[in-house]
Amino acid sequence: MSRVAAALSEPSVRGGPPPPSGGVVISRGTRVYLRTLTPRDLPLLTAWADDPFLERMVGSEFLHAYKHVWDRSPDFYEAVLTDATQIVLVVEAYRGWERPVGLVRLYNIHLLEGYAFLETIITDQRAMRRGFGVEAGKLISYYGVDVLGLRRIEAKVYEYNVLSMNALRRNGFQKEGVLRQAGFDGERYWNLAVFGILREEIEAQRKKDKVYLPLDRAPEGNGREPA
Amino acid sequence: MITLQPTPATPGPDAARGHSAGAAVVRLDGPITVATAWKLVARVAEAVERGETRLLLDLTRVTALDPAGVAALLEAQRLVEQRPGGTLALHANRLVAGILTTSGTTGRFTLSHGAGM
């Protein structure tokens, strides 16, 4: 079976129960899993788009489009579904996290040229500094390489967002340059740091991963107590 | 030169699986997106395993297509064309044709607009 076909294999064979929030699980890590966006997520998008902290730290064009271009219209969901240039996935954490902890997306996807941009938004401040963003970025990067055939992924970060820059570095991204005064937070201009990673570097990162092999589809426990 | 003339959505040939002028027809309904793209690859892989070398993908009833879906179409093409004499054509509706244009992949596919290839 080709790598793409294997990566595209039926979601149910990847193990684990379907997500309670709906959607289809696309990729699972040890801390988080990525699932598809559903119409039920739109109220969450509204809350995230209105969050001044996220606006300051991420400045997501995705959330900006939802709020200002689509005026929070439910038609936004269909537009994302039929968008040939991006894939948007919701980040869910295991155990004790009842709501999604963020979004991760590949955008400006150029399939034939083999590159795309990465955006990771951890929207729940309690979920920060737990490695969720690192793993979400890693999982979608693997998806980009395995399924979309990407050979390069870029990310842009405000230079004051040290947390995000460190998360990219932990995933093997390298700082490639600076877009001087390319970001504006409403008060002053900031530099944007540009990070990039190549396919072979993603593969090298993958080899460092600890292999996680769930034995069966049931949640793991100790045999006596519920998991 | 391939002229892109998207066809309006009409009932596809025969059933979900059939033949049209020597080509095996695989019809897909609904969205071909990150959640469902695996079905396309699986259906094409099944056809290739059955020995089909000339495939027509009927996409006239596809309602959504994202980059994962386009990647699946490219993978399906690779699966078919790696067999001697293998050819894959697409019977696209307006939405699919538009997305193939947007993604710059139109030139990678053979588009069929009727019986035969």
Side-chain angles (χ1 to χ4, degrees):
Chain A
M1 182 188 287
S2 72
R3 189 176 198 178
V4 174
L8 282 169
S9 63
E10 183 179 357
S12 64
V13 304
R14 300 197 202 107
S21 316
V24 174
V25 176
I26 300 303
S27 184
R28 289 187 182 275
T30 57
R31 292 185 172 91
V32 301
Y33 61 93
L34 307 183
R35 64 157 174 87
T36 55
L37 191 70
T38 70
R40 289 164 59 181
D41 295 316
L42 290 178
L44 285 172
L45 291 191
T46 295
W48 296 340
D50 287 339
D51 187 333
F53 177 76
L54 291 182
E55 174 63 26
R56 189 167 63 252
M57 298 307 288
V58 182
S60 168
E61 289 180 8
F62 177 77
L63 294 177
H64 186 271
Y66 175 62
K67 181 176 179 179
H68 296 291
V69 178
W70 287 85
D71 198 22
R72 304 184 180 90
S73 166
D75 294 339
F76 183 71
Y77 170 74
E78 287 295 327
V80 172
L81 210 60
T82 54
D83 188 338
T85 66
Q86 69 174 330
I87 286 178
V88 182
L89 298 174
V90 177
V91 184
E92 297 264 20
Y94 299 110
R95 294 187 188 160
W97 297 87
E98 295 178 352
R99 288 155 56 108
V101 296
L103 278 177
V104 65
R105 68 180 185 127
L106 290 174
Y107 65 99
N108 282 358
I109 296 172
H110 290 73
L111 281 176
L112 295 185
E113 294 88 345
Y115 70 87
F117 288 76
L118 167 70
E119 179 177 73
T120 308
I121 313 171
I122 298 302
T123 54
D124 188 333
Q125 294 198 36
R126 297 170 305 155
M128 294 180 185
R129 296 183 175 84
R130 291 174 183 263
F132 292 167
V134 174
E135 187 164 71
K138 179 173 71 175
L139 291 176
I140 202 170
S141 296
Y142 291 172
Y143 182 88
V145 168
D146 293 342
V147 175
L148 305 181
L150 300 180
R151 53 166 190 83
R152 174 182 166 80
I153 298 175
E154 290 182 34
K156 290 184 286 191
V157 180
Y158 288 120
E159 266 197 336
Y160 53 75
N161 193 339
V162 177
L163 204 60
S164 289
M165 288 202 290
N166 286 342
L168 289 170
R169 289 194 180 98
R170 285 169 65 186
N171 268 335
F173 280 74
Q174 296 181 26
K175 186 175 178 180
E176 296 180 338
V178 172
L179 301 176
R180 295 171 299 157
Q181 299 187 25
F184 182 67
D185 65 359
E187 293 179 8
R188 56 160 288 185
Y189 293 96
W190 296 90
N191 291 343
L192 281 176
V194 178
F195 284 78
I197 191 168
L198 303 179
R199 179 190 294 158
E200 51 267 29
E201 293 163 348
I202 293 174
E203 296 295 356
Q205 284 296 118
R206 203 195 305 247
K207 286 180 183 158
K208 296 181 193 173
D209 282 343
K210 181 179 173 182
V211 177
Y212 173 65
L213 296 174
L215 296 179
D216 56 34
R217 294 186 184 190
E220 293 184 358
N222 62 16
R224 290 185 58 187
E225 296 161 4
Chain B
M1 179 177 175
I2 297 170
T3 301
L4 182 58
Q5 292 179 346
T7 58
T10 55
D14 301 330
R17 191 178 104 193
H19 283 76
S20 175
V25 177
V26 176
R27 189 170 80 209
L28 296 120
D29 299 343
I32 304 178
T33 62
V34 65
T36 60
W38 64 272
K39 295 182 185 177
L40 184 159
V41 176
R43 294 279 296 279
V44 169
E46 283 171 10
V48 170
E49 285 300 310
R50 286 197 306 271
E52 305 286 358
T53 55
R54 298 180 69 207
L55 252 63
L56 174 67
L57 290 185
D58 182 352
L59 306 176
T60 54
R61 290 184 172 181
V62 168
T63 56
L65 184 68
D66 71 1
V70 177
L73 288 173
L74 290 169
E75 174 63 11
Q77 183 183 55
R78 190 196 68 80
L79 285 174
V80 172
E81 293 184 351
Q82 71 180 1
R83 296 289 176 112
T87 58
L88 178 78
L90 308 183
H91 196 175
N93 60 18
R94 193 176 305 274
L95 178 138
V96 170
I99 289 172
L100 293 181
T101 300
T102 304
S103 65
T105 55
T106 302
R108 294 289 294 266
F109 298 106
T110 300
L111 294 172
S112 168
H113 308 294
M117 295 175 59

